[in-house]
Amino acid sequence: WRQGAHHGRLLEASSLGVVGTVCRLGMGDQCLKVKFVVTGFGPFGGVLENPTSWLVARLAELSQSSELPFSCHCCQLETSATGCTEQLRALQQKVRAPQNGVVVWVHLGVHGSAKEYRLEFQAYNCADFRIPDVRGQVLTNEVIDPCVSKSVKHVLRTSLPLQQILKRLDVVGCPAYLSSDPGRFLCNYAYYRSLAWTSKRPNHASLFLHVPPFAHTGAHCHAQLAFLRGLLDTIQAVVTSPSRLKAGVSLRGLKTIQHMGGVAESKQYAAVAVRKPAAKLSKKGSRRGVRKS
């Protein structure tokens, strides 16, 4: 599962303005069952091969053949605001938490310039499409869910204990980074709607994973599938562990991709090991116009 070197920056929670959230899943129950709902997207814009389409299809095959140590429901979302909303609502009505268990929604999207896996810990109540979705719709600085907030600056954050998850991923050789900005296209759109729904249900939680294009991972599609399975295994281990009951999970000391000013700009820095003193950080440059599904 080890993917090699990654680029990122180590930031403290205070520099991101982030306060750790409490993992509310299954409080008081020491024997939890975890069901996963995993979604991906189809092609969009100039992305003709969306890795998440293949990942959810392959994961569905593994689930049907009982090759996974957990229950998993997979679905490919249409890359449109209308279609995505309709499909998510249908899934939310269909999926029920198992008795003495929880449902973890893991949404996948592709980040066009990424070379690493990025766990998005928040989503914005803002739809600002740079390109039309597959139905030709272009939303410009519009509120996604006015029932939650009428402000496009409003954010929702996952209740999963990301500190524990990232540390375990490092241990098993599946390094990943936190990201503070999932863009303003369908990735952010689906994630915000998912968080708005799960935040009202104590036995549900939501997370978004940005994956790089297949061309950016040396071992191609199977490397990404191995990482995804490692992530789901890790989430299950963390959520079912008694340590999940610890409140006030901190994001301090985690490897983080810093975004400056939204989807248009992101700065990357030479990687610094978590356990080593922070030496001089060398700037790697910035990218504009990053495409995210």
Side-chain angles (χ1 to χ4, degrees), residues 101-160:
V102 297
V103 178
V104 179
W105 300 70
V106 179
H107 306 288
L108 311 178
V110 63
H111 189 298
S113 65
K115 295 183 179 180
E116 66 286 307
Y117 301 100
R118 303 183 179 188
L119 300 183
E120 304 290 347
F121 63 80
Q122 63 185 15
Y124 294 79
N125 193 22
C126 178
D128 194 18
F129 297 178
R130 295 177 175 275
I131 59 174
D133 64 22
V134 296
R135 296 196 185 190
Q137 188 175 21
V138 179
L139 301 179
T140 304
N141 203 36
E142 293 189 23
V143 168
I144 295 173
D145 193 339
C147 294
V148 177
S149 173
K150 292 181 172 56
S151 172
V152 294
K153 296 181 179 180
H154 184 260
V155 298
L156 291 173
R157 292 172 179 143
T158 180
S159 61
L160 289 170

Side-chain angles (χ1 to χ4, degrees), residues 222-236:
H222 295 288
Q224 292 203 16
L225 181 61
F227 177 86
L228 179 57
R229 292 187 63 173
L231 174 63
L232 299 182
D233 283 335
T234 299
I235 293 174
Q236 177 174 244

